[in-house]
Amino acid sequence: MVTRQLDVDGEPLFLIEIGKPYAEADGTWFCPYRIQGPTTSFVNRDAGVDGMQALLNVLYVLSAKAETSVENQEGRLTWGGQSEHFGFPSHEADPELREARRRQGR
């Protein structure tokens, strides 16, 4: 469906892909995603009550995955020259995620 390329050491080596949301037989919606970097690699999906929520949940997950990636922890990950923001919505925008992180002390 969509991709975003982040740079590792100035080279476009960190690919993020989001697939099209789809419904399973039980009515649960899922949105697949994939991250492929030099060190970080994930293939997964996230759920929601509808396609929009599944997509938004994936965007929050991708924000966290990029922030916590080895490449970012080593200070090597950038997007458009930025090293602290990769263009994804922050978990702070979702009150439930914000509360969960507060309870976890983050």
Side-chain angles (χ1 to χ4, degrees):
M1 189 170 96
V2 296
T3 62
R4 170 154 295 161
Q5 191 78 47
L6 305 180
D7 292 337
V8 179
D9 298 327
E11 299 293 324
L13 299 173
F14 197 96
L15 178 65
I16 297 171
E17 298 176 306
I18 302 173
K20 182 179 177 182
Y22 62 91
E24 296 244 323
D26 67 358
T28 303
W29 280 81
F30 290 94
C31 185
Y33 66 90
R34 180 172 81 110
I35 297 174
Q36 185 61 55
T39 305
T40 301
S41 180
F42 291 101
V43 176
N44 209 340
R45 65 184 186 166
D46 212 325
V49 298
D50 59 19
M52 184 68 72
Q53 186 182 40
L55 175 59
L56 287 170
N57 287 342
V58 163
L59 291 171
Y60 293 133
V61 166
L62 290 173
S63 177
K65 296 277 189 202
E67 287 176 19
T68 60
S69 69
V70 171
E71 293 85 348
N72 192 50
Q73 297 303 309
E74 293 174 347
R76 303 170 56 212
L77 194 64
T78 59
W79 178 63
Q82 301 178 66
S83 60
E84 294 183 18
H85 176 66
F86 304 114
F88 294 105
S90 167
H91 65 275
E92 296 298 322
D94 184 313
E96 288 182 24
L97 289 174
R98 186 174 53 241
E99 177 60 21
R101 290 181 65 94
R102 186 195 64 74
R103 285 193 306 268
Q104 294 172 353
R106 295 194 249 160

